[in-house]
Amino acid sequence: MRHQIKSDDLRAPEMAEAIEKCVHCGFCLAACPTYKLLGEEMDSPRGRIYLMKGVLEDRIEADEAQPFIDRCLGCMACVPACPSGVAYGDLLVSYRTLQEQSRQRPLMDGVARRLIIETLPYPRRFRLAMKSGKIGRMLQPFLPEAFASMLNMLPDKLPPPSPLPPILPAQGERRGKVALLSGCVQQALAPQINLAAARVLSANGVEVHIPAGQSCCGSILLHIGAESEARQIARRNFPLMPDDIDAIITTAAGCGSGMKDYELLFKGQTDLHKASDFSSKVKDFSAYLAGLGLREPRGFAAERAVAYQDACHLLHAQGLQSEPRSLLNQVPNLRLVDIPDAGICCGSAGTYNLDQPAIAEELGGQKAGAILAAGPDTVVSGNIGCITQIRKHLDLQGKNLPVMHIAELLWAAYQS
Amino acid sequence: MNRSFFEALRSIYPDDRLLTRDVELLPYESDALTAFQTKPGAVALPIDEEEIIDTVRLCHRMKVPFVARGSGTSLSGGSLPIADGLMIGLNRLNRIKKIDPEQRIAVVEPGVINLHITEAVRQYGLYYAPDPSSQSICTIGGNIAFNSGGAHCLKYGMTSNHVLGMKVVLADGVVTQFGSESIEGVGIGPDLVGLFVGSEGLFGIALEITLRLMPTPQLYRTVMAAYDNLGRAGDAVSMVVASGLLPGAMEIMDRLAIKAAEASVGAGYPLDAEALLIVELEGEALQVEAEFAELRGVIEESGAFEIREAKDEDERARIWQGRKSAFSAVGRLSPDYIVQDGVVPRSRLGEALVKIGELKAQYQLDVANVFHAGDGNLHPLILYNGREPGALEKAEALAGEILAMCVDLGGSITGEHGVGMEKREYLPTMFSPVEMEIMRDLRRAIDPEEIANRGKMFPSGEAPALQMRGMHPLERQGVISRE
Amino acid sequence: MTGDVLDSVAELQAFVKGHRRIHVVGKRSKTALHQVEADVALADLSGMTGITEYQPQEYTLTVLAGTGLSEIQAALHEEGQYLPFDPLLPDHGSIGGAVACNLSGSRRHRYGGIRDFILGASVVDGLGRTFRVGGKVVKNAAGFDLSKFLVGSLGQYAIMTELTFKVFPDAPVFQGLRLQYESLDDALNAVFRCNRSTQELDLLDFAPWERGWSLMAGLAGFQDTLPQRAKQFVAMMREETALLDATEVEGDGSLRDPLAGLTGDFLVKVVISPRQIAGFDARVRDIGRRYSAGGNSAWLATDDIGALKKILEAEQLPGLVLRGSVDCPLIGKSPENLLAARVKQVLDPHNKLV
C-alpha cells in the first residue's frame, strides 16, 4: 500500500516498509484470533496496519486507534500467514514504542511503571516484593500478557527458592555446551521448569552453564514501551555468557522471540554487534534439543496421550512447529494427539485477561474445548503463560488434567 | 445519509453492530484493490437474515446506496464502499445450516468462509470445489457476487456451477427463492441461480445458499515442469489438451511470479526457470495413475528442462500454497501492483504472452504472469511504484492495453475477479451498445433506485468513475481517492 | 400446425417485430411444449443449422440453435469429445430445444447439466433486438450471465439463435452395470452409499425392474483400468448395500437412455432430490418411471396426466410435460416468478414470446 508517512522518526522507515509491503489481501484475517472472534476489520491484522498507517499519516488520532491496537494479542499468527512478508511484529513493537513515548497513559502512572521497571526483571527483588504486600498483584493490571500471567500461577505463595547449579555436566559423551537463561521471573514462579530443562539437556550430553547474576532479557520492558530500560537490562546479560557456547537456551517463548529481535532494539546503538551476536545464539529449548537429536528416554510405563499446544511465540514468531512434536514423538509410550486449530492463540492471561476479559475468556474457553476434543491425559506447552491459561480454563470446565512445560514432561520421561 | 436514516438503522442494530466513528470506518475503505479508497457512511453488521432484509428495505425506502461485503478480498474493487452509503458486513452470518453428505449438499449463510465448507464436510469424503486463492478467508457471498473461480475450474467450473439454490433479498426488498436441493438446481424454468451468481451485488443480497459438494478425489497427482521460455510452457498445455486428458488444473507462472512465490512460501520452485507449469490430475486412483503415466509422457516430450512430481500430500500442498500466494507475494517485489484477469482462447495464449512481453518493454514496467492456462485465464501483475508521479497512470494504461488485447483475441476482460470498480470502463469493449442497454435495464428492473453496489460493473454515470484520463470530479473534491 | 421456417437472424427479427404472439419450434420432438393457441405465430428454427465454430483445442463449440443433436454429437465424436451434459432425445431433438427445456440425459451425472456447459448465446428478444449473452471462452465473469438464465426458459424470454458450449474429451471406454435390489429403500440406500464414496460414476439411475429395483451405473475411463474399477465398485456395493445381483451390460445398452422402456401418452420430467423420492414414489407406483442422475430428476410416463399433476402439486415438485396434449407444460410447483418477471419485463415487455 502507498502511504504518506513522514520519516523523521528513527522507527518510521521500518513501519513504512511494513505498510508498503501490505497489499491488503486479507489472508491474515483467517489467522487472527481477534478477527475470528469479533469479525470486524479494526480487529484484524490488516485493519490494525491500516489504523497504524492512518495514525502515522495523521488521518486519525492515536488515542482513537489505541483500543484496537491494544486488542491485538501479539500472537504473530498473521506473520506466517502473510504472503507479502509484512513484518507485523516489527511494526507493532515500533508503533507501540512510538506511541508510548508520546502518549500519556492514564493506566500506567509513574509509580507503577517505576515499580515494574525496578522489580520485575530481578527475580530476587521480585520475590521480596511478592512477599511484602503482594505488590505483584497490585501491578498486575499494568503488566503485559505473558508476564502477568506468571503471577496468576501463584495465587498465594511463591515456591521456595531453588537455586540452579552454576554448571550441570554433560552425561555420557559430550555433544554440546550451552548457557541457560534463567534471569526471568519465571524462575521465581516456576523454578522446576528451568531445572527440568537443564536436566534434560544434561542427560542428552549437553554441558549446561547457568551463569549467576543474570537479569531479565528485557523483552518484558519492551512490551510496556520502556525501550531504553529494556536495553539497559538486556546489556547486563551480554558479558555473563561464556564465549564458547553453542547456544543460549530459553524456556520461555516470549523471551526467545524478544531476544531474537535485539537487532531492532539495539538499532543505532554502539553495542549493536554484541546484541546481534547474543541474539543469534538464542534458541528455544525444544529447537535446540530437536536439532541435537534426542537420546531416547525410558518413556512411560503406561501410555500417555499428550496434547501439545503451540505457544504463539514459538509457532508464529519462531516458526517452531515440528521440533517440539518430534521430541515428544520419540518418547516411548507417548501418543501425541492433535489439538484442532492448535495454531490459534489461547488468549493467554495477564493484562490481556484484564484489559480484554471477554476476548481472553472466549479464547481460553475455546482452547480448553479444543484440547478436550483431542482427548489427552496430559497437556504440554513451551511457555508458562499458555500453561497458566490452559490450566485455568480446563479447571473452569471441570477437567483437572496435568498441564506442564515440555521440559518437565521430557524430564519425567527420563526418570520413569 | 441523513439523521432519520441513522435513527432507523439504530432501531435495527445495537450500538456495537453499527459502526459510525471514523476510526471504525477507515479500515473498511478498501478491499484487496487498494488503488481505490472510499470511506463508507456507516458499517452495519447484521447477524441474521431478518436484519439484512430490514436493512435493504430501509435503504430502498430512503434511497441510500449500500454495498454488501464479506471479507473484503475482491481484486476488482467489487466491495469498495460508497461514500455516504451503507456498508453491510455479512461476515457474521457464518453458519453452515445443513450438511447432507448423502445428497452431497450443504446449506450455508453468505458469510461462511469458502474453505470452512470443505473443512466441515471433509469427514464425509466431500469437498467444496471452487478454490479461489483467497479461499481461506473469502466468503461464499462474495464468491456468488463475482462468480469466483480458482485453479481447479477447468473440470468442475466456477462458483455458479456449484450453487443449486438460493434465497435472496432483491435490492427493492423483495425476498425470493429459487433452485432446490436437487443437483438440477432450478431444473425447470429459467435458471435464476445462473443469473444471480456473478451479478456483482447489483441485484441484491444472497441470504441462504444451497451448494453442491463433490467427492474428495481418491488421488491427486501433481507435476511441475520448468521451461526456459514461456512459449514452450504454453505449447505444453496444448499438448496436454491434445492428448485427451482432462486435468483438474493447469497453471503457469513466469520467472518473476516464481521468484515472489518462492520467497513467500519456499515451495521448492526452480528459480532458474522462465516458466513453470503445474499440471494436476485428480480422481479415482486407478484412473489417475493410468492418466498420469500418459501425462508424464506428454510432459517429457514438451521440452521441459526439469520435471518434478509431488511425492506426497505435503509437497503437493506446498506447490499449491506457492501458487495461491503468488499475487500477494508480489508485494515483496513491489509496493504497488495491478492484478489483471483477462481471458484469451487457450490456443492464443502464446500470442497473448508475446504481446504482453512487448507492452512490458514499451511501458518499461515489470509484469509478473500467473495464469490458469487450462482456461486461458491470464493474471498479469503489473508492478509499479505509486510514489513515482505518473506511475499508476502508466500501469493503468498498460493494463488497459492488455484488456483490449484479450477482447481482440476473442476473450474476456475478466475470468473470475469480476468487473467491479476496476474494469468497469472496459465493459463496453466486450458488449455492444444494445447489450449494455439490456444489462442496464435489467439492473433497473430489479433495483429501480440503483442502490445495490452502486457504481460497480457499469461505466461511470451512476457513480464516481475510474477513468483512464485524469481525475474524476469527486476525486478533485476529495470525496473519493485512489492511490 | 405449420410455422414460418426462418433461416437467418434477420428473418427472425423481422418475424418477431411483425407478430403479436410468437412461439418457437425446432425439431418439434417435445410435442407437449407446442400446444399453443391459434393466434400464436410459429417461428420455426429448424432451418438454422450447422456448426459455426468448433475448436477441439479450446474445448469450445458454437452451433446454430436448430442444429440436430445427432449432428453435433457426431462431429464431437470424431475428435474424441462429447457434450458432458448428455442431451436427451439425441436422435430427434435440436440443441436449442435441449437448452430451452433443460433436458439432460443420464451421463450428466459425471460433470453436470446444461447450465454447467453453456458459455454463451446469440438471441433475438421480444423486441426483435439481437444480441449476445455470455462469452465464447471457457471462463468469463463479465456482465450478467444471461446465458445460464436461458437454460430452461422455454423460449419465453428470448429466442436463441446460436449457442456456445464447453465440451470435454470423452473417455475411451464405457462400462455399464446393472445392480439389482429388492426394494426402493435398498436402491436408495445404495445411491446414498455411492454418494458417500469417491468412485466417479458416469451415470447412476434407478428404476423398478421385474419385482424389485434396478440400479444402473456407468463408469468411463481407460480400457486397461476400467474392468478393475468396475470390480472394485461392485465389491463395495456387494459388501455395503443389500445387493442381490450385479451384471455387466454390453455396450451402452439402454443404460444411457433414461426414457428407454417408458410408455404412456404423457412424458414428464420432474426435478426432485434424493431424499424426496421415497415419499413421492409411494404415490406413483402404477406409473412408468426412472430416477436419474443419482435421484436428482425423474422421468415419468403416464396416461393420466391429471392424476400426476395433483401428486406433483401435493408434493411441491416442479414438472415439465414433454409429450402429450396439455394446456400448459409446466405442472406441479410453479417456477419462481418474482425475479424472472423482471427479466421478462426487460427482454419481452409486450409478452410476445409464449
Side-chain angles (χ1 to χ4, degrees):
Chain A
M1 289 188 290
R2 261 184 66 196
H3 59 82
Q4 267 97 39
I5 300 170
K6 298 178 293 284
S7 52
D8 46 6
D9 179 84
L10 184 63
R11 289 299 173 84
E14 267 99 41
M15 290 192 266
E17 198 195 322
I19 287 164
E20 257 175 29
K21 275 197 175 166
C22 174
V23 299
H24 216 253
C25 66
F27 282 31
C28 54
L29 271 58
C32 177
T34 56
Y35 181 78
K36 280 194 181 186
L37 216 54
L38 303 167
E40 294 172 339
E41 274 290 325
M42 311 78 80
D43 290 303
S44 74
R46 164 174 88 171
R48 291 190 183 103
I49 292 171
Y50 212 82
L51 286 176
M52 289 187 254
K53 171 177 177 278
V55 171
L56 296 168
E57 288 175 335
D58 291 328
R59 288 185 69 197
I60 41 167
E61 294 297 324
D63 287 352
E64 281 188 85
Q66 203 55 39
F68 302 105
I69 310 294
D70 284 345
R71 240 180 259 172
C72 173
L73 291 147
C75 73
M76 300 298 135
C78 52
V79 174
C82 175
S84 316
V86 174
Y88 179 81
D90 291 358
L91 174 64
L92 187 70
V93 167
S94 301
Y95 179 87
R96 278 182 169 162
T97 304
L98 191 70
Q99 293 310 317
E100 194 55 50
Q101 283 160 3
S102 59
R103 85 173 153 147
Q104 305 257 312
R105 193 173 181 158
L107 264 177
M108 179 76 74
D109 64 47
V111 180
R113 192 180 153 85
R114 215 56 248 165
L115 265 173
I116 291 175
I117 293 170
E118 295 293 339
T119 317
L120 293 185
Y122 310 94
R124 201 178 291 161
R125 282 192 218 168
F126 176 70
R127 285 190 75 82
L128 281 171
M130 278 296 289
K131 277 185 167 170
S132 58
K134 304 261 183 274
I135 288 175
R137 287 196 179 269
M138 286 160 46
L139 293 179
Q140 203 172 22
F142 314 115
L143 299 182
E145 137 199 17
F147 202 61
S149 65
M150 296 180 188
L151 298 180
N152 281 346
M153 282 281 289
L154 275 196
D156 295 314
K157 54 182 177 190
L158 286 172
S162 63
L164 293 161
I167 294 178
L168 251 78
Q171 291 178 21
E173 182 202 345
R174 199 182 97 157
R175 297 197 292 159
K177 180 178 174 186
V178 300
L180 181 71
L181 201 89
S182 68
C184 187
V185 71
Q186 176 192 288
Q187 185 55 29
L189 295 170
Q192 75 279 10
I193 293 177
N194 277 334
L195 191 60
R199 283 170 169 163
V200 171
L201 288 168
S202 151
N204 273 281
V206 180
E207 186 177 308
V208 184
H209 290 248
I210 309 169
Q214 291 185 51
S215 61
C216 161
C217 67
S219 304
I220 200 80
L221 296 176
L222 192 57
H223 275 281
I224 62 171
E227 204 189 12
S228 64
E229 289 89 343
R231 265 195 300 270
Q232 263 174 38
I233 201 147
R235 278 190 184 111
R236 297 189 191 179
N237 286 335
F238 297 170
L240 297 178
M241 299 298 156
D243 285 337
D244 57 344
I245 46 169
D246 309 326
I248 299 167
I249 303 296
T250 170
T251 54
C255 303
S257 64
M259 288 185 284
K260 283 177 182 286
D261 283 342
Y262 273 174
E263 253 181 84
L264 185 65
L265 180 64
F266 282 85
K267 194 176 177 187
Q269 304 288 318
T270 51
D271 48 359
L272 171 64
H273 69 282
K274 273 190 203 159
S276 48
D277 184 46
F278 184 96
S279 173
S280 67
K281 284 187 181 157
V282 171
K283 275 209 164 131
D284 185 74
F285 167 77
S286 62
Y288 177 78
L289 199 54
L292 186 71
L294 194 70
R295 280 184 186 160
E296 192 175 298
R298 267 183 245 164
F300 300 107
E303 188 189 79
R304 284 183 87 155
V306 174
Y308 177 80
Q309 167 59 33
D310 291 290
C312 294
H313 278 260
L314 292 181
L315 176 65
H316 305 306
Q318 299 182 55
L320 299 176
Q321 182 172 36
S322 60
E323 291 85 347
R325 289 178 171 83
S326 81
L327 292 176
L328 293 170
N329 269 327
Q330 291 172 59
V331 176
N333 247 350
L334 185 157
R335 183 168 56 89
L336 199 57
V337 297
D338 284 337
I339 304 175
D341 275 337
I344 295 282
C345 178
C346 65
S348 184
T351 42
Y352 202 84
N353 217 348
L354 297 161
D355 285 351
Q356 318 284 348
I359 301 172
E361 288 298 299
E362 183 71 35
L363 289 173
Q366 284 179 6
K367 183 57 73 184
I371 289 173
L372 293 173
D377 54 44
T378 304
V379 186
V380 161
S381 185
N383 190 45
I384 187 169
C386 316
I387 292 169
T388 313
Q389 168 84 342
I390 290 166
R391 187 175 290 154
K392 175 183 161 191
H393 282 276
L394 287 175
D395 281 353
L396 282 176
Q397 299 194 12
K399 308 284 180 193
N400 211 339
L401 302 181
V403 186
M404 61 181 79
H405 195 279
I406 185 170
E408 295 178 79
L409 185 79
L410 287 176
W411 179 236
Y414 279 101
Q415 281 177 298
S416 55
Chain B
M1 286 169 63
N2 57 26
R3 217 163 81 200
S4 58
F5 179 73
F6 271 107
E7 272 164 24
L9 268 184
R10 285 189 205 288
S11 71
I12 305 175
Y13 297 96
D15 284 351
D16 62 338
R17 292 196 285 109
L18 184 63
L19 313 180
T20 54
R21 295 188 299 137
D22 263 6
V23 66
E24 297 166 323
L25 302 177
L26 196 69
Y28 284 90
E29 68 178 13
S30 277
D31 48 25
L33 179 67
T34 54
F36 297 95
Q37 307 161 345
T38 310
K39 205 163 63 185
V43 177
L45 300 167
I47 51 170
D48 57 35
E49 66 176 44
E50 285 73 31
E51 289 184 347
I52 301 176
I53 295 166
D54 288 349
T55 308
V56 169
R57 286 179 179 163
L58 173 69
C59 287
H60 173 69
R61 201 169 63 238
M62 305 194 72
K63 300 185 177 25
V64 174
F66 66 84
V67 179
R69 182 188 198 266
S71 296
T73 56
S74 171
L75 289 163
S76 60
S79 52
L80 181 78
I82 299 164
D84 213 32
L86 181 66
M87 172 136 267
I88 307 176
L90 298 175
N91 52 328
R92 295 184 182 201
L93 281 100
N94 58 0
R95 282 156 288 219
I96 297 176
K97 294 172 128 178
K98 174 176 172 180
I99 295 171
D100 186 342
E102 296 185 324
Q103 293 201 100
R104 289 183 177 166
I105 59 152
V107 180
V108 305
E109 292 184 329
V112 169
I113 287 168
N114 175 304
L115 189 61
H116 289 184
I117 299 167
T118 293
E119 285 169 354
V121 303
R122 189 177 284 139
Q123 56 182 308
Y124 308 110
L126 298 169
Y127 78 116
Y128 176 65
D131 64 337
S133 294
S134 55
Q135 71 185 123
S136 65
I137 189 64
C138 64
T139 63
I140 288 299
N143 290 178
I144 282 175
F146 287 85
N147 194 15
S148 306
H152 292 79
C153 283
L154 181 59
K155 210 166 170 178
Y156 295 118
M158 319 221 285
T159 300
S160 189
N161 305 104
H162 298 269
V163 179
L164 301 175
M166 49 207 310
K167 178 178 182 185
V168 305
V169 55
L170 300 177
D172 60 0
V174 169
V175 176
T176 183
Q177 256 177 301
F178 33 81
S180 66
E181 291 190 354
S182 164
I183 204 84
E184 284 266 302
V186 172
I188 291 173
D191 190 346
L192 293 164
V193 169
L195 177 67
F196 198 92
V197 177
S199 57
E200 304 210 353
L202 268 60
F203 290 167
I205 298 179
L207 302 170
E208 189 182 286
I209 305 108
T210 303
L211 298 171
R212 104 166 136 149
L213 305 170
M214 311 285 296
T216 312
Q218 284 175 4
L219 184 68
Y220 288 101
R221 291 304 303 264
T222 312
V223 61
M224 282 197 297
Y227 298 87
D228 55 17
N229 73 65
L230 266 174
R232 211 161 267 168
D235 292 345
V237 171
S238 300
M239 290 168 70
V240 173
V241 169
S243 75
L245 292 169
L246 183 60
M250 282 192 277
E251 300 286 303
I252 294 180
M253 296 165 80
D254 74 359
R255 176 184 279 275
L256 213 50
I258 296 168
K259 186 177 149 196
E262 187 58 25
S264 177
V265 303
Y269 293 163
L271 288 168
D272 51 348
E274 284 300 324
L276 179 68
L277 170 67
I278 303 169
V279 185
E280 182 166 279
L281 297 170
E282 58 183 36
E284 269 183 54
L286 283 169
Q287 177 69 15
V288 169
E289 287 297 5
E291 289 177 359
F292 195 68
E294 198 165 320
L295 175 66
R296 193 184 286 131
V298 174
I299 298 288
E300 274 163 10
E301 294 292 299
S302 70
F305 70 77
E306 192 185 334
I307 300 170
R308 214 181 305 160
E309 294 166 18
K311 284 188 294 293
D312 50 33
E313 184 49 38
D314 270 3
E315 208 171 319
R316 171 179 176 261
R318 267 203 310 283
I319 290 173
W320 282 113
Q321 203 195 344
R323 165 61 192 84
K324 292 190 174 187
S325 301
F327 290 179
S328 310
V330 166
R332 291 169 185 265
L333 306 180
S334 170
D336 301 280
Y337 60 84
I338 297 176
V339 185
Q340 284 299 308
D341 176 39
V343 183
V344 297
R346 187 173 34 227
S347 59
R348 307 190 74 171
L349 262 179
E351 219 176 308
L353 291 169
V354 169
K355 177 85 178 159
I356 291 174
E358 285 167 14
L359 288 169
K360 186 168 109 174
Q362 183 190 329
Y363 280 83
Q364 296 186 310
L365 285 170
D366 268 333
V367 179
N369 280 296
V370 180
F371 45 98
H372 307 306
D375 306 316
N377 189 185
L378 306 162
H379 291 307
L381 292 110
I382 302 161
L383 280 51
Y384 68 98
N385 184 350
R387 296 194 138 193
E388 287 168 15
L392 168 70
E393 289 71 17
K394 205 162 98 174
E396 281 184 334
L398 171 54
E401 291 214 36
I402 293 176
L403 291 183
M405 171 199 75
C406 291
V407 176
D408 285 348
L409 292 176
S412 170
I413 58 171
T414 174
E416 55 187 2
H417 298 171
V419 176
M421 199 59 192
E422 186 208 10
K423 289 179 285 286
R424 54 188 199 155
E425 294 300 326
Y426 294 95
L427 197 64
T429 64
M430 259 190 85
F431 294 99
S432 70
V434 176
E435 289 154 6
M436 289 298 295
E437 180 190 317
I438 284 164
M439 286 197 283
R440 265 186 189 284
D441 287 349
L442 193 53
R443 144 69 155 215
R444 287 193 196 105
I446 294 165
D447 178 8
E449 307 296 343
E450 302 190 57
I451 54 172
N453 215 6
R454 179 184 290 173
K456 310 293 162 57
M457 198 172 104
F458 291 112
S460 46
E462 286 191 341
L466 160 64
Q467 24 61 53
M468 309 312 294
R469 300 155 294 277
M471 282 170 94
H472 186 274
L474 286 177
E475 269 184 290
R476 257 179 257 125
Q477 290 162 26
V479 175
I480 61 160
S481 66
R482 50 182 169 145
E483 285 193 333
Chain C
M1 193 172 67
T2 57
D4 291 24
V5 177
L6 305 163
D7 290 331
S8 71
V9 172
E11 275 180 45
L12 178 61
Q13 284 181 281
F15 186 85
V16 169
K17 284 176 184 159
H19 292 85
R20 215 172 53 81
R21 299 180 76 202
I22 299 141
H23 177 77
V24 188
V25 295
K27 289 183 170 289
R28 307 189 202 201
S29 62
K30 300 166 279 282
T31 52
L33 296 165
H34 307 310
Q35 315 288 316
V36 290
E37 288 158 34
D39 67 332
V40 174
L42 289 186
D44 185 333
L45 299 196
S46 62
M48 278 196 204
T49 64
I51 293 172
T52 333
E53 209 178 324
Y54 173 32
Q55 299 190 30
Q57 276 284 304
E58 295 294 339
Y59 290 165
T60 56
L61 168 81
T62 300
V63 289
L64 295 182
T67 314
L69 291 167
S70 50
E71 183 187 337
I72 296 171
Q73 288 183 326
L76 288 169
H77 188 70
E78 259 180 47
E79 298 290 338
Q81 297 187 334
Y82 79 130
L83 290 168
F85 58 82
D86 188 18
L88 197 76
L89 305 168
D91 301 330
H92 316 287
S94 67
I95 188 72
V99 174
C101 303
N102 188 17
L103 297 176
S104 290
S106 296
R107 282 190 78 194
R108 64 116 41 231
H109 186 65
R110 178 68 183 93
Y111 290 112
I114 298 179
R115 68 182 306 273
D116 300 309
F117 288 88
I118 189 165
L119 296 173
S122 291
V123 300
V124 172
D125 72 0
L127 294 173
R129 298 176 291 190
T130 181
F131 55 93
R132 267 199 74 79
V133 295
K136 276 192 173 179
V137 277
V138 293
K139 205 169 179 185
N140 169 41
F144 300 137
D145 192 355
L146 276 165
S147 64
K148 284 198 182 65
F149 176 87
L150 294 171
V151 178
S153 66
L154 299 174
Q156 293 172 354
Y157 297 82
I159 303 166
M160 293 169 269
T161 56
E162 190 185 77
L163 292 151
T164 302
F165 297 97
K166 176 159 92 166
V167 298
F168 274 171
D170 199 359
V173 201
F174 178 89
Q175 173 68 63
L177 296 160
R178 192 182 283 278
L179 291 81
Q180 274 164 263
Y181 291 89
E182 195 177 299
S183 65
L184 172 63
D185 274 358
D186 288 349
L188 268 174
N189 281 330
V191 167
F192 289 145
R193 181 63 194 91
C194 291
N195 278 346
R196 281 188 286 108
S197 88
T198 49
Q199 288 258 344
E200 289 170 343
L201 299 174
D202 236 42
L203 72 85
L204 183 64
D205 284 9
F206 50 104
W209 201 58
E210 291 176 0
R211 252 170 300 171
W213 281 75
S214 164
L215 187 71
M216 290 150 275
L219 288 157
F222 288 172
Q223 179 78 61
D224 37 345
T225 54
L226 200 57
Q228 207 185 333
R229 288 172 59 211
K231 224 164 91 187
Q232 276 182 0
F233 174 67
V234 173
M236 176 187 87
M237 298 304 272
R238 209 179 286 285
E239 198 157 307
E240 300 185 35
T241 69
L243 179 65
L244 298 176
D245 191 23
T247 47
E248 290 187 359
V249 178
E250 281 294 312
D252 299 356
S254 59
L255 286 196
R256 286 196 204 179
D257 179 8
L259 305 184
L262 289 184
T263 51
D265 293 346
F266 298 88
L267 177 67
V268 181
K269 171 190 172 176
V270 172
V271 172
I272 195 164
S273 69
R275 291 225 183 275
Q276 294 171 310
I277 287 179
F280 174 71
D281 196 76
R283 309 180 72 155
V284 291
R285 280 199 188 126
D286 342 325
I287 301 179
R289 61 207 184 275
R290 169 153 157 166
Y291 299 100
S292 194
N296 285 286
S297 59
W299 304 102
L300 299 107
T302 179
D303 292 334
D304 185 355
I305 193 70
L308 181 57
K309 201 173 154 185
K310 284 204 184 86
I311 293 167
L312 290 175
E313 277 162 11
E315 295 284 319
Q316 274 300 289
L317 293 169
L320 178 68
V321 188
L322 303 175
R323 279 185 198 149
S325 179
V326 283
D327 295 341
C328 173
L330 293 167
I331 57 173
K333 186 186 177 191
S334 319
E336 194 272 5
N337 200 31
L338 288 167
L339 178 53
R342 320 276 183 103
V343 186
K344 180 83 174 169
Q345 186 189 317
V346 172
L347 297 182
D348 183 27
H350 309 310
N351 279 315
K352 277 192 178 184
L353 307 178
V354 297

